[in-house]
Coordinates of all heavy atoms in Angstrom, one line a residue:
M1 N 15.0 -97.0 -86.8 CA 16.3 -97.3 -86.6 C 16.8 -96.3 -85.6 O 17.7 -96.7 -84.8 CB 17.0 -96.8 -88.0 CG 18.5 -97.1 -87.9 SD 18.7 -98.9 -87.7 CE 19.9 -99.3 -88.9
Q2 N 16.2 -95.1 -85.5 CA 16.6 -94.2 -84.5 C 16.2 -94.6 -83.1 O 17.0 -94.5 -82.1 CB 15.9 -92.8 -84.8 CG 16.2 -91.6 -83.9 CD 17.8 -91.3 -84.2 OE1 18.3 -91.5 -85.2 NE2 18.2 -90.7 -83.2
A3 N 15.1 -95.3 -82.9 CA 14.7 -95.8 -81.8 C 15.6 -96.9 -81.1 O 15.9 -97.0 -79.9 CB 13.2 -96.4 -81.7
I4 N 16.1 -97.6 -82.0 CA 17.1 -98.7 -81.7 C 18.5 -98.1 -81.2 O 19.0 -98.5 -80.1 CB 17.4 -99.7 -82.8 CG1 16.1 -100.5 -83.1 CG2 18.5 -100.7 -82.5 CD1 16.2 -101.3 -84.4
K5 N 18.9 -97.1 -81.9 CA 20.2 -96.3 -81.3 C 20.0 -95.7 -80.1 O 20.8 -95.7 -79.2 CB 20.5 -95.3 -82.4 CG 21.1 -95.9 -83.8 CD 21.5 -94.7 -84.6 CE 22.1 -95.4 -86.0 NZ 22.5 -94.2 -86.9
E6 N 18.7 -95.1 -79.9 CA 18.6 -94.5 -78.6 C 18.4 -95.5 -77.4 O 18.9 -95.2 -76.4 CB 17.1 -93.7 -78.7 CG 16.8 -92.9 -77.5 CD 15.5 -92.2 -77.6 OE1 14.9 -92.1 -78.7 OE2 14.9 -91.8 -76.5
K7 N 17.8 -96.7 -77.7 CA 17.6 -97.7 -76.7 C 19.2 -98.2 -76.4 O 19.6 -98.4 -75.2 CB 16.9 -98.9 -77.1 CG 15.4 -98.6 -77.1 CD 14.5 -99.8 -77.4 CE 13.2 -99.5 -77.3 NZ 12.2 -100.7 -77.8
A8 N 20.0 -98.4 -77.4 CA 21.3 -98.9 -77.1 C 22.1 -97.8 -76.4 O 22.8 -98.1 -75.5 CB 22.0 -99.1 -78.5
S9 N 22.0 -96.6 -76.7 CA 22.6 -95.5 -76.1 C 22.3 -95.4 -74.6 O 23.1 -95.2 -73.6 CB 22.4 -94.2 -76.8 OG 23.0 -93.1 -76.0
N10 N 20.9 -95.5 -74.5 CA 20.4 -95.5 -72.9 C 20.9 -96.8 -72.2 O 21.3 -96.6 -71.0 CB 18.9 -95.5 -73.0 CG 18.3 -94.2 -73.4 OD1 19.0 -93.2 -73.5 ND2 17.1 -94.3 -73.7
A11 N 21.1 -97.8 -72.7 CA 21.5 -99.1 -72.1 C 23.0 -98.9 -71.8 O 23.5 -99.2 -70.7 CB 21.3 -100.3 -72.9
A12 N 23.8 -98.3 -72.6 CA 25.2 -98.0 -72.5 C 25.4 -97.1 -71.3 O 26.2 -97.2 -70.4 CB 25.8 -97.6 -73.7
A13 N 24.5 -95.9 -71.3 CA 24.6 -95.1 -70.1 C 24.3 -95.6 -68.9 O 24.9 -95.3 -67.9 CB 23.8 -93.8 -70.5
S14 N 23.2 -96.5 -68.9 CA 22.9 -97.1 -67.6 C 23.9 -98.0 -67.1 O 24.3 -98.0 -65.9 CB 21.6 -97.8 -67.9 OG 21.2 -98.5 -66.7
A15 N 24.6 -98.8 -68.1 CA 25.6 -99.6 -67.5 C 26.8 -98.9 -67.0 O 27.5 -99.2 -66.0 CB 26.1 -100.5 -68.8
K16 N 27.2 -97.7 -67.7 CA 28.3 -96.9 -67.3 C 28.1 -96.2 -65.9 O 28.9 -96.2 -65.1 CB 28.5 -95.8 -68.3 CG 29.8 -94.9 -68.0 CD 30.1 -94.0 -69.1 CE 31.4 -93.2 -68.7 NZ 31.7 -92.2 -69.8
S17 N 26.7 -95.9 -65.8 CA 26.4 -95.1 -64.4 C 26.4 -96.2 -63.4 O 27.0 -96.0 -62.3 CB 24.8 -94.7 -64.6 OG 24.5 -94.3 -63.3
G18 N 26.0 -97.5 -63.6 CA 26.1 -98.5 -62.6 C 27.5 -98.9 -62.2 O 27.8 -99.1 -61.1
L19 N 28.4 -98.9 -63.3 CA 29.8 -99.2 -63.0 C 30.5 -98.1 -62.2 O 31.3 -98.4 -61.2 CB 30.5 -99.3 -64.4 CG 32.0 -99.6 -64.4 CD1 32.3 -101.0 -63.6 CD2 32.6 -99.5 -65.6
E20 N 30.1 -96.8 -62.5 CA 30.7 -95.7 -61.6 C 30.2 -95.7 -60.3 O 30.9 -95.4 -59.3 CB 30.2 -94.4 -62.2 CG 30.9 -94.1 -63.6 CD 32.5 -94.0 -63.5 OE1 33.0 -93.4 -62.5 OE2 33.1 -94.6 -64.4
K21 N 28.9 -96.2 -60.0 CA 28.4 -96.4 -58.5 C 29.1 -97.5 -57.9 O 29.4 -97.3 -56.7 CB 26.8 -96.6 -58.7 CG 25.9 -95.5 -59.1 CD 24.6 -96.0 -59.2 CE 23.5 -94.8 -59.8 NZ 22.2 -95.2 -59.9
V22 N 29.3 -98.6 -58.5 CA 30.0 -99.7 -57.8 C 31.4 -99.2 -57.5 O 32.0 -99.4 -56.5 CB 30.1 -100.9 -58.7 CG1 31.0 -102.0 -58.3 CG2 28.6 -101.5 -58.8
K23 N 32.1 -98.5 -58.6 CA 33.5 -98.1 -58.3 C 33.5 -97.1 -57.1 O 34.5 -97.2 -56.3 CB 33.9 -97.3 -59.5 CG 35.4 -97.1 -59.7 CD 35.6 -96.4 -61.0 CE 36.8 -96.6 -61.7 NZ 37.0 -95.8 -62.9
A24 N 32.6 -96.2 -56.9 CA 32.5 -95.3 -55.9 C 32.3 -96.0 -54.5 O 33.0 -95.7 -53.5 CB 31.5 -94.2 -56.1
T25 N 31.4 -96.9 -54.6 CA 31.2 -97.7 -53.4 C 32.4 -98.5 -52.9 O 32.8 -98.4 -51.7 CB 30.0 -98.7 -53.5 OG1 28.9 -98.1 -53.9 CG2 29.8 -99.5 -52.3
V26 N 33.1 -99.1 -53.9 CA 34.4 -99.8 -53.5 C 35.4 -98.9 -53.1 O 36.1 -99.2 -52.0 CB 34.9 -100.6 -54.8 CG1 36.3 -101.1 -54.5 CG2 33.9 -101.8 -55.2
E27 N 35.6 -97.7 -53.7 CA 36.6 -96.8 -53.3 C 36.3 -96.2 -51.8 O 37.2 -96.0 -51.0 CB 36.7 -95.5 -54.2 CG 37.4 -95.9 -55.6 CD 37.3 -94.8 -56.6 OE1 36.7 -93.8 -56.3 OE2 37.9 -95.0 -57.7
D28 N 35.0 -96.0 -51.6 CA 34.6 -95.6 -50.2 C 34.9 -96.6 -49.1 O 35.4 -96.2 -48.2 CB 33.0 -95.2 -50.2 CG 32.7 -94.6 -48.9 OD1 33.2 -93.7 -48.4 OD2 31.6 -95.1 -48.4
K29 N 34.6 -97.9 -49.5 CA 34.9 -98.9 -48.6 C 36.4 -99.1 -48.3 O 36.9 -99.3 -47.2 CB 34.4 -100.2 -49.1 CG 32.9 -100.3 -48.9 CD 32.2 -101.6 -49.3 CE 30.8 -101.7 -49.2 NZ 30.2 -103.0 -49.5
E30 N 37.2 -99.0 -49.4 CA 38.7 -98.9 -49.3 C 39.2 -97.9 -48.4 O 40.1 -98.1 -47.6 CB 39.4 -98.9 -50.7 CG 39.2 -100.2 -51.5 CD 39.8 -100.0 -52.9 OE1 40.2 -98.9 -53.3 OE2 39.9 -100.9 -53.6
E31 N 38.6 -96.6 -48.7 CA 39.1 -95.6 -47.7 C 38.7 -95.7 -46.3 O 39.4 -95.5 -45.4 CB 38.4 -94.2 -48.2 CG 38.8 -93.0 -47.5 CD 38.2 -91.8 -48.1 OE1 38.0 -91.7 -49.3 OE2 37.9 -90.9 -47.3
T32 N 37.5 -96.3 -46.0 CA 37.0 -96.6 -44.7 C 37.9 -97.6 -44.0 O 38.4 -97.6 -42.9 CB 35.7 -97.1 -44.7 OG1 34.8 -96.1 -45.3 CG2 35.1 -97.4 -43.2
V33 N 38.3 -98.7 -44.8 CA 39.2 -99.7 -44.3 C 40.6 -99.2 -44.1 O 41.2 -99.5 -43.0 CB 39.3 -100.9 -45.4 CG1 40.4 -101.9 -45.0 CG2 38.0 -101.7 -45.4
S34 N 41.1 -98.3 -45.0 CA 42.3 -97.7 -44.8 C 42.4 -96.8 -43.5 O 43.3 -96.8 -42.7 CB 42.8 -96.8 -46.0 OG 43.9 -96.2 -45.8
Q35 N 41.3 -96.1 -43.3 CA 41.3 -95.2 -42.0 C 41.3 -96.1 -40.9 O 41.8 -95.7 -39.9 CB 40.0 -94.3 -42.2 CG 40.1 -93.2 -43.1 CD 38.9 -92.4 -43.3 OE1 37.9 -92.8 -42.9 NE2 39.0 -91.3 -44.0
K36 N 40.4 -97.1 -40.8 CA 40.3 -98.0 -39.7 C 41.7 -98.7 -39.4 O 42.1 -98.8 -38.2 CB 39.3 -99.1 -39.9 CG 37.8 -98.6 -39.8 CD 36.8 -99.8 -40.1 CE 35.5 -99.3 -40.0 NZ 34.4 -100.4 -40.1
K37 N 42.5 -99.1 -40.5 CA 43.7 -99.6 -40.3 C 44.6 -98.6 -39.8 O 45.5 -98.9 -38.8 CB 44.3 -100.1 -41.7 CG 45.7 -100.6 -41.6 CD 46.2 -101.0 -43.0 CE 47.6 -101.5 -43.0 NZ 48.1 -101.8 -44.4
E38 N 44.7 -97.4 -40.0 CA 45.5 -96.4 -39.5 C 45.2 -96.1 -38.1 O 46.0 -96.0 -37.3 CB 45.3 -94.9 -40.4 CG 46.0 -95.0 -41.7 CD 45.7 -93.7 -42.4 OE1 45.5 -92.7 -41.8 OE2 45.8 -93.8 -43.7
V39 N 43.9 -96.1 -37.8 CA 43.5 -95.9 -36.3 C 44.0 -97.1 -35.5 O 44.5 -96.9 -34.4 CB 42.0 -95.8 -36.3 CG1 41.5 -96.0 -34.8 CG2 41.5 -94.4 -36.9
R40 N 43.9 -98.3 -36.0 CA 44.3 -99.5 -35.3 C 45.8 -99.5 -35.0 O 46.4 -99.8 -34.0 CB 44.0 -100.8 -36.0 CG 42.5 -101.1 -35.9 CD 42.2 -102.6 -36.3 NE 42.9 -103.0 -37.6 CZ 42.3 -103.0 -38.7 NH1 41.0 -102.6 -38.9 NH2 43.0 -103.4 -39.7
M41 N 46.5 -99.1 -36.1 CA 48.0 -99.0 -36.0 C 48.4 -97.9 -35.0 O 49.4 -98.2 -34.2 CB 48.7 -98.5 -37.3 CG 48.5 -99.8 -38.3 SD 49.1 -99.5 -40.0 CE 50.9 -99.2 -39.6
E42 N 47.8 -96.7 -35.0 CA 48.1 -95.7 -34.1 C 47.8 -96.1 -32.5 O 48.5 -95.9 -31.6 CB 47.3 -94.5 -34.4 CG 47.8 -93.7 -35.6 CD 46.9 -92.5 -35.9 OE1 46.0 -92.3 -35.3 OE2 47.3 -92.0 -37.0
Q43 N 46.6 -96.9 -32.4 CA 46.3 -97.4 -31.2 C 47.3 -98.4 -30.6 O 47.7 -98.4 -29.4 CB 44.9 -98.0 -31.2 CG 44.4 -98.4 -29.8 CD 44.3 -97.2 -28.8 OE1 43.8 -96.3 -29.2 NE2 44.8 -97.5 -27.7
A44 N 47.7 -99.2 -31.6 CA 48.7 -100.2 -31.3 C 50.1 -99.6 -30.7 O 50.7 -100.0 -29.7 CB 49.1 -101.1 -32.4
E45 N 50.5 -98.5 -31.3 CA 51.6 -97.7 -31.0 C 51.4 -97.1 -29.6 O 52.4 -97.1 -28.8 CB 52.0 -96.7 -32.0 CG 52.6 -97.2 -33.3 CD 52.8 -96.1 -34.4 OE1 52.7 -95.0 -34.1 OE2 53.0 -96.6 -35.6
L46 N 50.2 -96.5 -29.4 CA 50.0 -96.0 -28.0 C 49.9 -97.0 -27.0 O 50.5 -96.8 -25.9 CB 48.6 -95.1 -28.1 CG 48.5 -94.0 -28.9 CD1 47.0 -93.6 -28.9 CD2 49.4 -92.9 -28.3
D47 N 49.4 -98.2 -27.3 CA 49.3 -99.2 -26.3 C 50.9 -99.7 -25.9 O 51.1 -100.1 -24.9 CB 48.5 -100.5 -26.9 CG 47.1 -100.2 -26.9 OD1 46.6 -99.2 -26.3 OD2 46.5 -101.0 -27.7
E48 N 51.7 -99.8 -27.1 CA 53.0 -100.3 -26.8 C 53.8 -99.2 -26.0 O 54.4 -99.6 -24.9 CB 53.8 -100.3 -28.1 CG 55.3 -100.6 -28.0 CD 56.1 -100.7 -29.3 OE1 55.4 -100.3 -30.4 OE2 57.1 -101.0 -29.3
E49 N 53.6 -97.9 -26.3 CA 54.2 -96.9 -25.4 C 53.7 -96.8 -23.9 O 54.5 -96.7 -23.1 CB 53.9 -95.5 -26.1 CG 54.6 -94.3 -25.5 CD 56.2 -94.4 -25.5 OE1 56.7 -95.0 -26.5 OE2 56.9 -94.0 -24.6
E50 N 52.4 -97.2 -23.8 CA 51.8 -97.2 -22.5 C 52.5 -98.4 -21.7 O 52.8 -98.3 -20.5 CB 50.3 -97.4 -22.6 CG 49.7 -97.4 -21.2 CD 48.2 -97.5 -21.3 OE1 47.6 -97.6 -22.5 OE2 47.5 -97.6 -20.2
A51 N 52.6 -99.5 -22.4 CA 53.2 -100.7 -21.8 C 54.7 -100.4 -21.4 O 55.1 -100.9 -20.3 CB 53.2 -101.8 -22.8
R52 N 55.5 -99.8 -22.2 CA 56.8 -99.5 -22.0 C 56.8 -98.5 -20.7 O 57.7 -98.8 -19.8 CB 57.4 -98.8 -23.2 CG 57.7 -99.7 -24.3 CD 58.3 -99.1 -25.4 NE 58.5 -99.9 -26.5 CZ 59.5 -100.8 -26.9 NH1 60.4 -100.9 -26.0 NH2 59.5 -101.5 -27.9
L53 N 56.0 -97.5 -20.7 CA 55.9 -96.7 -19.5 C 55.6 -97.3 -18.3 O 56.2 -97.2 -17.2 CB 55.0 -95.5 -19.7 CG 54.9 -94.5 -18.6 CD1 56.2 -93.8 -18.4 CD2 53.8 -93.5 -19.0
H54 N 54.6 -98.2 -18.4 CA 54.2 -99.0 -17.2 C 55.3 -99.9 -16.7 O 55.5 -100.0 -15.5 CB 52.9 -99.9 -17.5 CG 52.6 -100.9 -16.5 ND1 53.0 -102.1 -16.4 CD2 51.8 -100.8 -15.4 CE1 52.5 -102.7 -15.2 NE2 51.7 -101.8 -14.7
N55 N 56.0 -100.5 -17.7 CA 57.1 -101.5 -17.3 C 58.3 -100.6 -16.7 O 58.9 -101.1 -15.7 CB 57.7 -102.2 -18.5 CG 56.6 -103.2 -19.0 OD1 55.8 -103.7 -18.2 ND2 56.7 -103.6 -20.2
A56 N 58.6 -99.4 -17.1 CA 59.6 -98.6 -16.6 C 59.3 -98.1 -15.2 O 60.1 -98.2 -14.2 CB 59.8 -97.3 -17.4
V57 N 57.9 -97.8 -15.0 CA 57.5 -97.5 -13.6 C 57.5 -98.7 -12.7 O 58.0 -98.6 -11.5 CB 56.1 -96.8 -13.6 CG1 55.5 -96.7 -12.2 CG2 56.2 -95.5 -14.4
T58 N 57.0 -99.8 -13.2 CA 57.1 -101.0 -12.3 C 58.6 -101.3 -11.9 O 58.8 -101.7 -10.8 CB 56.5 -102.2 -13.1 OG1 55.2 -101.9 -13.5 CG2 56.5 -103.4 -12.3
K59 N 59.5 -101.3 -12.9 CA 60.9 -101.5 -12.6 C 61.4 -100.5 -11.6 O 62.1 -100.9 -10.6 CB 61.7 -101.5 -14.0 CG 63.1 -101.9 -13.7 CD 63.9 -102.0 -15.1 CE 65.2 -102.2 -14.9 NZ 66.1 -102.3 -16.3
H60 N 61.1 -99.2 -11.8 CA 61.5 -98.3 -10.8 C 61.0 -98.3 -9.5 O 61.7 -98.0 -8.5 CB 61.1 -96.8 -11.5 CG 61.5 -95.7 -10.7 ND1 62.8 -95.3 -10.6 CD2 60.7 -94.9 -9.9 CE1 62.8 -94.3 -9.7 NE2 61.5 -94.0 -9.3
M61 N 59.8 -99.0 -9.4 CA 59.2 -99.1 -8.1 C 59.6 -100.5 -7.5 O 59.0 -100.8 -6.4 CB 57.7 -99.1 -8.2 CG 57.2 -97.7 -8.8 SD 57.7 -96.3 -7.6 CE 56.7 -96.6 -6.2
G62 N 60.5 -101.2 -8.1 CA 60.9 -102.5 -7.6 C 60.1 -103.6 -7.8 O 60.0 -104.6 -7.2
G63 N 59.4 -103.6 -9.0 CA 58.5 -104.7 -9.5 C 59.3 -105.9 -10.0 O 60.4 -106.2 -9.5
D64 N 58.6 -106.5 -10.9 CA 59.1 -107.8 -11.4 C 60.3 -107.6 -12.5 O 60.5 -108.5 -13.3 CB 58.0 -108.6 -12.0 CG 57.3 -107.9 -13.1 OD1 57.7 -106.7 -13.5 OD2 56.5 -108.5 -13.8
G65 N 60.8 -106.5 -12.6 CA 62.0 -106.3 -13.5 C 61.6 -105.4 -14.6 O 62.3 -104.7 -15.3
G66 N 60.2 -105.1 -15.0 CA 59.7 -104.2 -15.8 C 60.0 -104.5 -17.3 O 60.0 -103.5 -18.2
F67 N 60.3 -105.7 -17.6 CA 60.5 -105.9 -19.1 C 59.3 -106.2 -19.8 O 58.3 -106.8 -19.4 CB 61.5 -107.2 -19.1 CG 62.8 -106.9 -18.7 CD1 63.2 -107.3 -17.5 CD2 63.8 -106.4 -19.6 CE1 64.5 -106.9 -17.0 CE2 65.0 -106.1 -19.2 CZ 65.5 -106.4 -17.8
T68 N 59.3 -105.8 -21.0 CA 58.2 -105.9 -21.9 C 58.1 -107.5 -22.3 O 59.1 -108.2 -22.2 CB 58.3 -105.0 -23.2 OG1 59.3 -105.4 -23.9 CG2 58.3 -103.7 -22.8
A69 N 57.1 -107.8 -23.1 CA 57.1 -109.2 -23.7 C 58.2 -109.5 -24.5 O 58.7 -110.6 -24.6 CB 55.7 -109.4 -24.3
A70 N 58.6 -108.5 -25.2 CA 59.9 -108.7 -26.0 C 61.2 -108.8 -25.3 O 62.1 -109.1 -25.8 CB 60.0 -107.6 -27.0
G71 N 61.2 -108.6 -24.0 CA 62.3 -108.7 -23.2 C 63.2 -107.5 -23.3 O 64.4 -107.7 -23.3
T72 N 62.7 -106.4 -23.5 CA 63.6 -105.1 -23.6 C 63.1 -104.0 -22.8 O 61.8 -103.9 -22.5 CB 63.7 -104.6 -25.1 OG1 64.5 -103.5 -25.1 CG2 62.4 -104.3 -25.8
D73 N 63.8 -103.1 -22.4 CA 63.4 -101.9 -21.7 C 63.8 -100.7 -22.4 O 64.2 -99.7 -21.8 CB 63.9 -102.0 -20.1 CG 65.4 -101.9 -20.0 OD1 66.0 -102.2 -21.1 OD2 65.8 -101.7 -18.9
L74 N 63.7 -100.7 -23.8 CA 64.1 -99.7 -24.6 C 62.8 -98.8 -24.8 O 61.7 -99.3 -24.8 CB 64.6 -100.1 -26.0 CG 65.9 -101.0 -26.0 CD1 66.1 -101.4 -27.4 CD2 67.1 -100.1 -25.5
N75 N 63.1 -97.4 -24.9 CA 61.9 -96.6 -25.1 C 61.6 -96.6 -26.7 O 62.3 -97.2 -27.4 CB 62.2 -95.3 -24.6 CG 63.2 -94.4 -25.3 OD1 63.7 -94.8 -26.4 ND2 63.7 -93.4 -24.6
S76 N 60.5 -95.8 -27.1 CA 60.2 -95.9 -28.5 C 61.1 -95.3 -29.4 O 61.1 -95.6 -30.6 CB 58.8 -95.1 -28.6 OG 59.0 -93.8 -28.3
Q77 N 62.1 -94.5 -29.0 CA 63.0 -94.0 -29.8 C 64.3 -94.8 -29.8 O 65.4 -94.5 -30.6 CB 63.5 -92.5 -29.3 CG 62.4 -91.4 -29.5 CD 61.4 -91.5 -28.6 OE1 61.6 -91.8 -27.4 NE2 60.2 -91.2 -28.9
G78 N 64.3 -96.0 -29.2 CA 65.4 -96.9 -29.3 C 66.5 -96.6 -28.3 O 67.4 -97.4 -28.1
G79 N 66.3 -95.7 -27.2 CA 67.1 -95.6 -26.2 C 66.7 -96.2 -24.9 O 65.7 -96.7 -24.8
W80 N 67.7 -96.3 -24.0 CA 67.3 -97.0 -22.7 C 66.6 -96.0 -21.9 O 66.6 -94.8 -21.9 CB 68.6 -97.2 -22.0 CG 69.2 -98.4 -22.6 CD1 70.4 -98.2 -23.4 CD2 69.0 -99.8 -22.5 NE1 70.8 -99.5 -23.9 CE2 69.9 -100.5 -23.4 CE3 68.0 -100.6 -21.9 CZ2 70.0 -101.8 -23.5 CZ3 68.0 -102.0 -22.1 CH2 69.1 -102.5 -23.0
I81 N 65.5 -96.6 -21.2 CA 64.8 -95.8 -20.3 C 65.5 -95.5 -19.0 O 65.9 -96.5 -18.4 CB 63.4 -96.6 -19.9 CG1 62.6 -96.8 -21.1 CG2 62.5 -95.8 -18.9 CD1 61.5 -97.9 -20.9
P82 N 65.7 -94.4 -18.6 CA 66.5 -94.1 -17.4 C 65.8 -94.3 -16.2 O 64.6 -94.0 -16.0 CB 66.8 -92.5 -17.4 CG 65.6 -92.0 -18.4 CD 65.3 -93.1 -19.4
I83 N 66.3 -95.2 -15.3 CA 65.7 -95.4 -14.0 C 66.6 -94.9 -13.0 O 67.8 -95.3 -12.8 CB 65.6 -97.0 -13.9 CG1 64.8 -97.6 -15.1 CG2 65.0 -97.3 -12.5 CD1 63.3 -97.0 -15.2
Y84 N 66.0 -94.0 -12.2 CA 66.8 -93.4 -11.1 C 66.3 -93.9 -9.6 O 65.2 -93.9 -9.4 CB 66.6 -91.9 -11.0 CG 67.1 -91.3 -12.5 CD1 66.1 -90.8 -13.3 CD2 68.4 -91.2 -12.7 CE1 66.5 -90.3 -14.5 CE2 68.8 -90.6 -14.0 CZ 67.8 -90.2 -14.9 OH 68.2 -89.7 -16.0
P85 N 67.2 -94.3 -8.9 CA 67.0 -94.9 -7.6 C 66.2 -93.8 -6.7 O 66.7 -92.7 -6.8 CB 68.2 -95.4 -7.0 CG 69.3 -94.8 -7.9 CD 68.7 -94.5 -9.2
T86 N 65.4 -94.2 -5.9 CA 64.7 -93.3 -4.9 C 65.1 -93.7 -3.4 O 65.8 -94.7 -3.3 CB 63.3 -93.3 -5.0 OG1 62.8 -94.6 -4.6 CG2 62.8 -93.0 -6.4
A87 N 64.7 -92.9 -2.5 CA 65.0 -93.3 -1.1 C 64.4 -94.6 -0.8 O 65.1 -95.3 0.0 CB 64.5 -92.3 -0.2
A88 N 63.4 -95.0 -1.4 CA 62.7 -96.3 -1.1 C 63.6 -97.5 -1.5 O 63.6 -98.5 -0.9 CB 61.4 -96.5 -1.9
H89 N 64.5 -97.3 -2.4 CA 65.6 -98.4 -2.8 C 66.6 -98.6 -1.6 O 67.1 -99.7 -1.5 CB 66.2 -98.0 -4.1 CG 65.4 -98.2 -5.3 ND1 64.7 -97.0 -5.8 CD2 65.2 -99.2 -6.2 CE1 64.0 -97.5 -6.9 NE2 64.2 -98.7 -7.1
Y90 N 66.8 -97.5 -1.0 CA 67.9 -97.7 0.1 C 67.5 -97.9 1.5 O 68.2 -98.4 2.3 CB 68.7 -96.4 0.0 CG 69.3 -96.1 -1.2 CD1 68.9 -95.1 -2.0 CD2 70.4 -97.0 -1.8 CE1 69.3 -94.9 -3.3 CE2 70.8 -96.6 -3.1 CZ 70.4 -95.8 -3.9 OH 71.0 -95.4 -5.0
N91 N 66.2 -97.7 1.8 CA 65.8 -98.0 3.1 C 64.7 -98.8 3.3 O 63.7 -98.7 4.3 CB 65.6 -96.6 4.1 CG 64.5 -95.9 3.4 OD1 63.9 -96.2 2.5 ND2 64.2 -94.6 4.1
G92 N 64.4 -99.8 2.4 CA 63.4 -100.8 2.5 C 62.0 -100.0 2.3 O 61.0 -100.7 2.7
G93 N 61.8 -99.1 1.5 CA 60.5 -98.5 1.2 C 60.0 -97.4 2.1 O 59.0 -96.9 2.0
R94 N 60.7 -97.2 3.3 CA 60.3 -96.2 4.2 C 61.0 -94.9 3.8 O 62.1 -94.8 3.2 CB 61.0 -96.6 5.6 CG 60.2 -97.9 6.3 CD 61.0 -98.2 7.4 NE 61.9 -99.1 7.0 CZ 63.2 -99.2 7.5 NH1 63.5 -98.5 8.6 NH2 64.1 -100.0 7.1
S95 N 60.2 -93.8 4.0 CA 60.7 -92.6 3.6 C 61.5 -92.0 4.8 O 61.3 -92.4 6.0 CB 59.5 -91.6 3.2 OG 58.7 -91.4 4.4
F96 N 62.3 -91.1 4.5 CA 63.1 -90.4 5.5 C 63.2 -89.0 5.1 O 63.0 -88.5 4.0 CB 64.5 -91.1 5.7 CG 65.4 -90.9 4.4 CD1 66.2 -89.9 4.3 CD2 65.2 -91.9 3.4 CE1 67.0 -89.8 3.1 CE2 66.0 -92.0 2.3 CZ 67.0 -90.8 2.2
S97 N 63.5 -88.2 6.2 CA 63.5 -86.7 5.9 C 65.0 -86.3 5.7 O 65.9 -87.0 6.4 CB 63.0 -85.9 7.0 OG 63.7 -86.2 8.2
L98 N 65.3 -85.3 4.9 CA 66.7 -84.8 4.8 C 66.9 -83.6 5.5 O 66.7 -82.5 5.2 CB 66.9 -84.6 3.2 CG 66.7 -85.7 2.3 CD1 66.8 -85.2 0.8 CD2 67.8 -86.7 2.5
K99 N 67.2 -83.8 6.8 CA 67.4 -82.7 7.8 C 68.8 -82.4 7.8 O 69.8 -83.0 7.7 CB 67.0 -83.1 9.3 CG 65.5 -83.3 9.2 CD 65.1 -83.5 10.6 CE 63.6 -83.7 10.7 NZ 63.1 -84.1 12.0

């Protein structure tokens, strides 16, 4: 009778151990997926900011208007990107000296 109880106890311990291993593996994968998701989200935000900056510079340099795909020239904080004219805006791109 004791041998049967021991075998049942060993089988239960083995099943519990296997369940814990599977649980740990799933949690590890979830954490990895979560980390990858965070990295992708951060990269998307960086790409968006880079595009906004590029568009602002393009607009400033007299490019195609500098609008993003969404059709806005707002910065990431929700404000307008300041665009200041340069000498190139007033004399056809030629520089001049201020004597």
Side-chain angles (χ1 to χ4, degrees):
M1 188 65 135
Q2 187 67 23
I4 295 173
K5 286 182 181 180
E6 185 179 343
K7 285 183 181 181
S9 179
N10 288 343
S14 179
K16 185 175 181 181
S17 173
L19 180 61
E20 292 299 319
K21 289 177 185 178
V22 169
K23 198 182 205 182
T25 301
V26 168
E27 287 174 357
D28 185 46
K29 287 183 180 181
E30 286 175 350
E31 184 177 327
T32 301
V33 167
S34 177
Q35 289 173 348
K36 287 181 180 180
K37 179 181 176 183
E38 288 178 25
V39 168
R40 286 193 318 260
M41 289 175 66
E42 289 174 4
Q43 186 60 47
E45 289 176 11
L46 291 173
D47 291 346
E48 178 185 7
E49 187 64 29
E50 182 180 0
R52 289 180 188 275
L53 179 61
H54 176 267
N55 292 339
V57 169
T58 301
K59 184 176 182 180
H60 180 71
M61 299 302 289
D64 63 354
F67 289 94
T68 63
T72 180
D73 59 349
L74 296 175
N75 67 17
S76 63
Q77 288 78 36
W80 291 99
I81 298 170
I83 304 297
Y84 302 103
T86 63
H89 286 92
Y90 299 109
N91 66 357
R94 290 171 277 146
S95 62
F96 61 93
S97 66
L98 299 171
K99 292 183 181 179

